[in-house]
Amino acid sequence: QVQLVESGGGWVQPGGSLRLSCAASGFTFKDYWMYWVRRVPGQGLDWVAGINGDGDSTSYIDSVKGRFTISRENAKNTLYLQMNSLKSEATAVYHCAKDVVPGVGPTFEQDYWGEGTQVTVSS
């Protein structure tokens, strides 16, 4: 079965950095676009970044461009999100997620999510 397990969250001061990781299993990782999405309490899931199966095409929401970097290591079935120059509005639970279909995309639709890792940006 598909499993996605995030790690690396925590508390950081504004301007700081964090690196999130997501260990994937139960599917052919390299075949899928993967995403980072986040949930602020009381709100829905917001898409943050996506990356294709080969790792050579990425996409970001405007608010994180130039500060966040999504990457992947297919040999380790692992997805990453490097977050720099963090702002308080980045506070959320971050989930990794897989695209609904392999090989094409991105559809920007997800069918599996991990339980998430909390990121808190506060002074």
Side-chain angles (χ1 to χ4, degrees):
Q1 67 279 20
V2 173
Q3 285 193 315
L4 299 167
V5 181
E6 302 91 342
S7 61
W11 172 83
V12 64
Q13 292 185 332
S17 298
L18 282 174
R19 189 193 195 203
L20 306 184
S21 299
C22 172
S25 61
F27 64 103
T28 307
F29 180 70
K30 65 181 180 61
D31 286 348
Y32 288 83
W33 271 78
M34 295 293 296
Y35 307 95
W36 286 99
V37 300
R38 63 190 178 189
R39 186 190 299 274
V40 175
Q43 300 183 20
L45 281 173
D46 290 327
W47 169 82
V48 176
I51 187 168
N52 71 338
D54 291 335
D56 57 5
S57 179
T58 58
S59 189
Y60 301 90
I61 56 169
D62 288 344
S63 61
V64 307
K65 285 180 180 178
R67 299 185 299 114
F68 287 16
T69 303
I70 188 171
S71 63
R72 65 193 297 160
E73 193 167 356
N74 287 343
K76 294 184 178 181
N77 284 0
T78 303
L79 179 72
Y80 303 100
L81 185 67
Q82 177 67 44
M83 305 186 293
N84 299 329
S85 302
L86 280 161
K87 303 176 181 180
S88 59
E89 51 261 41
T91 296
V93 177
Y94 284 72
H95 304 262
C96 66
K98 65 177 285 293
D99 203 299
V100 294
V101 293
V104 297
T107 71
F108 295 103
E109 295 182 13
Q110 303 97 39
D111 56 359
Y112 287 92
W113 300 261
E115 292 192 354
T117 185
Q118 174 71 49
V119 171
T120 302
V121 184
S122 171
S123 56

